[in-house]
Amino acid sequence: MKLDTAYLRFLNNTGTERQIGYMQRLARSVDHAHARMERLGATAVKLGKAGAAGFAGYQAAKAVLAEPLKIERTYERSLADAANIAFPYGSRKQGMAAMNKQIESAVSSGGGTRDSALKAMNDLYAANIDKDVVESVLPHMQKYATSGNADPANIAQLVIYGLRSLKLDAKDIPLMLDKTLQSTKGGSMEFDSLAKWMPQVGAAGSMAGLRGMKGYESMLAGVQTSRLTAGTKDEAGTNFKDLLSMINGHALMTAAKKLGISPSDAIAKHIAEGGDAITGIVGLADRVANSDPRYMALDNKLKAGGIARDKGGQPLYTPEQQEIMQQQAALFQGSALGKLFHNQQSMQALVALRNNRDYYKDQIAATGLAKGQIGGQDFETIAQTNDYKMQQKANSELFAQTSSTGGLNAVLGKFAEGTTALYQKYPEFAQYIEGAKLAVGGLAAAAGGAATALAVLGLLGAKNAGGLPGFGGPGGGLPRAGGSPGAFPVLEGATPAAGASAGGKWQAQCAAWAGSAQGWRWPANCL
């Protein structure tokens, strides 16, 4: 009610008693309305809190379930990809269950994560490794990945190399991994780096006759020795691989022939004397280098002060000695040896092998002592750490969550399948539903405020059907114009005063109504 209209109504009640009575009735109405509005406000707040709490509860439940459900679906999809490779059509569902069981068993006994084990398994299957072999080697792969802090995916490539190129049986794989791990004890190439590089080194070594477990031991020693003159682990791998690729290569044979040397004969003679292809190629380089006084001078200068070693037997070169070896490499590159070993990478490996013959032999001897015990000892140490225990706890929880969410994901999958089919058949219906979802989602995002707002809007909307509770009509509320009994009335047949303002166009009629017994029920026209 406007203040000027209320004041006019008060003034038109000329009798003192009538004015006092009107003021009393007005006060009671105001008090009554104030109490009703307080109750309305409390109800709206409760509705808002309930809506906000409900929405928060929904969001909390959604947040808790969403990630486990997504993890289980992603893992199931990866299993299906692996099953497509490993199993024939018709048996892939059973194959997925079998793979999952093998993965959980391997991780439970050897550590690591389910996803890394699945990736390693999938790599084995992609290389056409037999299923029985995969099941046999996977637990060992996880165990050695934990023991040597290596990526199971790199170990998978190493195992594939052992089975394919070295022609090892599945039962020999743990021993190959044990020798690899032992090689790291006195060398600078770590287990993961060896797992990454040995398949590449081995491919070149097989062309030089380095095969089987004995050939593998020689190559492990060679790459560890190559690391002594390389700036990085990757450089060490590249340098040694390049050197091996030149043995029996056309370029070496052609260059040696011009020097009156037969590399194959020299290497064969060395092997007959108890050496291998690697020491044979070093012997070939000696024949050329020893005939040049410059080489001999550098050799003597390098050895003059002696070469210190650490506790693991690895040489500890001084800066001056490292500089001498760089001079040797540069001299080799621009001489007859440079014609035999024509790239800088192979020359760096050759310099390392020529100057560290004893270290190379010690490495071979050390790997020969590995019989499977190295991995077990290292694993025992790791398994005692809190980090390992927490990872295993997380694995156990993940296995349990996967089992518990699998059924719910199956239901969601069926629902998604049905929804997709329905949407494809009825695209217009799909547009309607998705549009509605976006609208509801927008409201839900502000559920706390929306709940209160909707409550108030709903109550105010009652103005067209009975009004706000407690005000006037039988259903309560602000009554509609010309409403049911109890509603604020409308002056019928009234005409506005000529030239009256918007606030006072019914002045005469309103004044007359104010003087009646129903004066406190102010007509809608007078508002």
Side-chain angles (χ1 to χ4, degrees):
M1 174 187 308
K2 293 182 179 180
L3 180 61
D4 58 348
T5 306
Y7 183 65
L8 173 65
R9 180 178 177 182
F10 172 73
L11 291 177
N12 286 335
N13 284 275
T14 56
T16 303
E17 292 183 356
R18 292 180 62 185
Q19 289 179 344
I20 293 173
Y22 171 74
M23 291 175 67
Q24 291 174 337
R25 291 192 297 272
L26 180 62
R28 286 195 299 271
S29 297
V30 171
D31 289 342
H32 180 68
H34 185 265
R36 290 287 186 177
M37 288 302 295
E38 283 186 339
R39 289 197 294 273
L40 173 62
T43 301
V45 169
K46 289 179 181 179
L47 289 171
K49 289 181 177 178
F55 179 70
Y58 161 75
Q59 288 294 85
K62 180 180 177 182
V64 168
L65 289 174
E67 189 62 19
L69 288 171
K70 181 180 178 181
I71 289 173
E72 195 277 332
R73 290 195 302 270
T74 303
Y75 176 66
E76 181 191 34
R77 173 59 183 269
S78 298
L79 274 178
D81 290 338
N84 281 341
I85 298 173
F87 294 88
Y89 182 74
S91 62
R92 290 171 183 167
K93 193 71 175 179
Q94 296 86 342
M96 290 171 63
M99 286 190 296
N100 179 61
K101 185 177 179 180
Q102 293 166 18
I103 288 170
E104 291 191 3
S105 176
V107 170
S108 296
S109 64
T113 66
R114 185 179 65 176
D115 289 339
S116 65
L118 174 56
K119 174 66 169 61
M121 172 185 274
N122 196 34
D123 288 346
L124 294 177
Y125 281 133
N128 294 318
I129 303 299
D130 186 76
K131 290 187 288 291
D132 293 336
V133 174
V134 173
E135 183 177 3
S136 173
V137 301
L138 187 63
H140 299 291
M141 291 166 57
Q142 290 300 119
K143 178 180 177 181
Y144 277 92
T146 300
S147 300
N149 191 28
D151 185 348
N154 286 338
I155 295 181
Q157 298 306 314
L158 180 59
V159 169
I160 292 168
Y161 159 71
L163 294 170
R164 290 282 183 253
S165 299
L166 295 180
K167 308 298 182 184
L168 301 179
D169 293 330
K171 61 181 178 60
D172 297 322
I173 293 300
L175 180 59
M176 181 190 75
L177 296 176
D178 210 56
K179 290 182 179 296
T180 308
L181 187 58
Q182 171 62 22
S183 176
T184 67
K185 304 302 182 183
S188 299
M189 291 286 280
E190 298 171 351
F191 191 61
D192 194 56
S193 297
L194 290 175
K196 173 185 175 182
W197 276 102
M198 290 310 295
Q200 302 179 55
V201 167
S206 63
M207 300 298 294
L210 295 168
R211 302 185 181 91
M213 197 68 77
K214 183 173 176 58
Y216 185 67
E217 291 178 357
S218 295
M219 287 185 287
L220 283 173
V223 76
Q224 290 287 13
T225 305
S226 177
R227 178 69 179 89
L228 299 176
T229 57
T232 66
K233 297 166 187 175
D234 286 343
E235 284 181 21
T238 299
N239 293 348
F240 188 61
K241 180 190 70 172
D242 285 1
L243 178 62
L244 291 182
S245 66
M246 301 193 71
I247 300 176
N248 293 331
H250 177 72
L252 178 63
M253 295 296 178
T254 302
K257 186 176 181 180
K258 293 179 180 179
L259 297 174
I261 300 172
S262 172
S264 57
D265 291 344
I267 293 173
K269 181 177 181 294
H270 213 82
I271 293 175
E273 295 173 353
D276 55 33
I278 297 171
T279 56
I281 203 68
V282 173
L284 177 63
D286 287 342
R287 289 180 58 181
V288 178
N290 291 343
S291 63
D292 191 324
R294 294 174 300 172
Y295 296 143
M296 298 304 297
L298 287 175
D299 282 345
N300 293 333
K301 186 177 179 180
L302 180 65
K303 298 171 184 177
I307 299 174
R309 294 195 176 206
D310 62 15
K311 293 181 180 180
Q314 182 170 321
L316 298 174
Y317 291 107
T318 65
E320 182 182 359
Q321 290 171 328
Q322 292 175 359
E323 176 62 27
I324 292 172
M325 287 190 289
Q326 290 299 319
Q327 292 174 13
Q328 287 178 325
L331 181 59
F332 290 169
Q333 194 71 39
S335 65
L337 274 178
K339 297 177 181 178
L340 295 175
F341 306 98
H342 55 81
N343 72 30
Q344 185 177 0
Q345 288 72 31
S346 62
M347 191 65 73
Q348 288 287 346
L350 183 61
V351 169
L353 288 163
R354 285 193 73 247
N355 291 322
N356 297 281
R357 302 167 201 260
D358 290 339
Y359 176 74
Y360 174 79
K361 293 177 181 178
D362 291 344
Q363 277 283 309
I364 292 179
T367 54
L369 297 175
K371 305 295 182 184
Q373 80 281 14
I374 305 302
Q377 293 168 359
D378 286 9
F379 181 79
E380 181 180 344
T381 302
I382 298 298
Q384 294 174 1
T385 65
N386 291 324
D387 180 73
Y388 176 83
K389 293 173 183 177
M390 292 301 294
Q391 180 62 62
Q392 289 300 81
K393 175 180 177 291
N395 287 334
S396 297
E397 292 173 349
L398 184 60
F399 299 155
Q401 287 176 3
T402 298
S403 298
S404 63
T405 57
L408 179 55
N409 263 326
V411 172
L412 293 175
K414 286 291 185 182
F415 175 76
E417 184 180 15
T419 301
T420 301
L422 184 66
Y423 278 14
Q424 290 176 345
K425 188 173 183 179
Y426 303 105
E428 292 183 356
F429 173 76
Q431 294 174 11
Y432 174 80
I433 292 296
E434 292 305 309
K437 281 169 62 178
L438 290 175
V440 171
L443 290 174
T452 302
L454 289 172
V456 174
L457 288 173
L459 292 172
L460 291 177
K463 181 177 179 180
N464 294 325
L468 289 171
F471 292 90
L478 290 174
R480 61 186 181 275
S484 57
F488 289 152
V490 176
L491 294 174
E492 299 292 343
T495 57
S501 65
K505 54 185 179 179
W506 307 101
Q507 289 182 2
Q509 292 89 341
C510 290
W513 183 273
S516 69
Q518 298 293 320
W520 67 273
R521 296 174 66 244
W522 198 239
N525 311 63
C526 300
L527 296 177

